[in-house]
Amino acid sequence: MKNIKYLIIGILFGIIMTKSEAISWYRIQEMFRFQSFHMYGIIGSALIVGVIIVQLIKRYKLKSLEGTQIQFSDKNMSVARYLYGGIIFGLGWALSGACPGPMFTLLGNGYSVFLVVIGSAILGTYAYGLVRARLPH
Amino acid sequence: MIETLSQSWPWYISGPLIAMIMFLLLWAGGNFGVSSNLRTICAIGGAGKQVAFFNYKWKDQTWNLLFIVGAIIGGVIAHTYLSSKVGLNLSEATITDLAALGIPFSGAMAPEELFNWHSLTTVRGILVLIVGGFMVGFGARWAGGCTSGHAISGLSNLQLPSLIAVIGFFIGGLIMTFLLFPLIFSA
């Protein structure tokens, strides 16, 4: 069970997402209405620390637990897929108030109907796979 | 201790902790990208037989599935042992705006009248739960990532594609909030 560490990291993630209220439909609305700094503070401070972490990993060629060097792959440059895909994602994010991580954590918070949201997100992913060849990337 | 942890965590604690999650995942040999799991679930369900996009070695992604199982358990733990007696400290302006759309605020994480099973018999419930979820799944895969993969992992690695994706997230979110919410929630 060498993968058990991911379960533990996931548990920490679920607790952080709940206590930060980033899983809240209301907080997402507040963010898109620019009526509180809360979500911007969370994403902004995560980013500042995140940029430093990535720079340090690269500079000191940090190895993972398995002994291999931690690699970062650059994403292929394009505009269409990120912009159009991003817009569809944003429409859904504001409407359901949950991005993929929070969907699962909300389930744990007792909102069992998020099974429907997760099921729909899986269906959306499948639909993307079906029409992928016909979409601009 | 439990008392303190049970309060709402301020952004300057939560944000760096989320960055720490990204680090722990990289250190463990994975990466921080939640929406990939939705593709993995399609692949496990046998979608690879019909659609080549789902025909890949999904077993390499088992670790990420364990991460989301953990995300569920973390929700249970926070809800059971660290639940705050005080409700969400939502801004007055948001409470007023949502009240005008007929969406009350009780202090809970999500509007209870939308996020329950009975809501599936209403048009707005179907839109929020099914159409909303569908767009999140479709859009995340088209954009090649969601909030974790682009807004946190990608931007932390200074990826321009991730910045474009995040700008897209906001264009979509603002269109939904300011143009479509009044149509969906007015009736």
Side-chain angles (χ1 to χ4, degrees):
Chain A
M1 269 322 279
K2 69 182 173 78
N3 276 345
I4 197 91
K5 52 185 180 275
Y6 294 104
L7 186 77
I8 295 163
I9 302 170
I11 292 173
L12 291 174
F13 175 71
I15 296 174
I16 295 165
M17 292 303 278
T18 304
K19 294 318 295 177
S20 69
E21 297 167 351
I23 61 166
S24 167
W25 186 94
Y26 289 111
R27 285 286 187 203
I28 303 303
Q29 267 302 298
E30 194 183 46
M31 172 182 80
F32 282 128
R33 292 173 187 276
F34 304 102
Q35 288 164 337
S36 166
F37 182 69
H38 187 76
M39 288 302 302
Y40 295 100
I42 292 177
I43 299 173
S45 61
L47 256 181
I48 292 169
V49 178
V51 169
I52 296 170
I53 287 173
V54 172
Q55 290 306 315
L56 288 176
I57 290 175
K58 284 181 173 175
R59 176 162 309 172
Y60 295 103
K61 298 190 169 49
L62 196 78
K63 289 193 169 73
S64 71
L65 272 176
E66 281 153 8
T68 52
Q69 198 176 313
I70 297 173
Q71 300 281 351
F72 296 93
S73 46
D74 286 342
K75 296 182 193 296
N76 293 328
M77 189 51 204
S78 118
V79 173
R81 75 171 295 188
Y82 301 110
L83 189 62
Y84 300 148
I87 290 172
I88 303 281
F89 177 87
L91 288 165
W93 187 16
L95 187 55
S96 68
C99 40
M103 285 179 188
F104 292 93
T105 298
L106 280 158
L107 205 57
N109 270 270
Y111 290 93
S112 61
V113 77
F114 266 91
L115 283 172
V116 175
V117 186
I118 294 168
S120 305
I122 293 168
L123 207 63
T125 304
Y126 181 70
Y128 165 76
L130 280 179
V131 299
R132 183 168 178 260
R134 276 172 276 163
L135 297 172
H137 277 83
Chain B
M1 178 71 177
I2 294 290
E3 189 101 340
T4 313
L5 286 178
S6 296
Q7 322 242 329
S8 161
W9 298 2
W11 60 264
Y12 51 85
I13 302 287
S14 311
L17 284 176
I18 292 171
M20 183 202 70
I21 294 291
M22 178 187 78
F23 171 73
L24 289 175
L25 285 171
L26 288 168
W27 185 54
N31 58 66
F32 188 34
V34 181
S35 67
S36 305
N37 287 300
L38 302 170
R39 183 185 181 196
T40 306
I41 294 168
C42 287
I44 292 175
K49 291 196 192 80
Q50 302 118 40
V51 185
F53 181 64
F54 300 108
N55 186 9
Y56 64 104
K57 275 175 65 190
W58 59 262
K59 281 193 175 148
D60 295 348
Q61 290 289 313
T62 320
W63 63 269
N64 210 346
L65 291 174
L66 278 164
F67 176 76
I68 55 168
V69 171
I72 300 174
I73 300 171
V76 174
I77 293 172
H79 183 67
T80 313
Y81 300 106
L82 301 172
S83 130
S84 164
K85 287 169 209 81
V86 196
L88 215 70
N89 181 23
L90 195 68
S91 87
E92 282 302 326
T94 310
I95 297 173
T96 311
D97 282 3
L98 292 175
L101 292 168
I103 304 166
F105 174 66
S106 66
M109 285 286 184
E112 268 132 20
E113 40 285 297
L114 281 173
F115 291 92
N116 66 64
W117 290 90
H118 186 72
S119 158
L120 284 167
T121 59
T122 66
V123 174
R124 60 174 74 173
I126 290 169
L127 286 172
V128 169
L129 301 168
I130 298 179
V131 178
F134 185 92
M135 287 194 291
V136 167
F138 190 99
R141 213 65 273 124
W142 192 2
C146 59
T147 330
S148 51
H150 278 309
I152 306 292
S153 295
L155 288 186
S156 287
N157 191 25
L158 308 174
Q159 296 292 300
L160 182 60
S162 294
L163 183 63
I164 301 170
V166 173
I167 290 169
F169 296 170
F170 269 83
I171 295 173
L174 294 176
I175 292 173
M176 179 54 69
T177 300
F178 292 102
L179 300 179
L180 300 179
F181 260 45
L183 301 175
I184 295 169
F185 295 102
S186 65

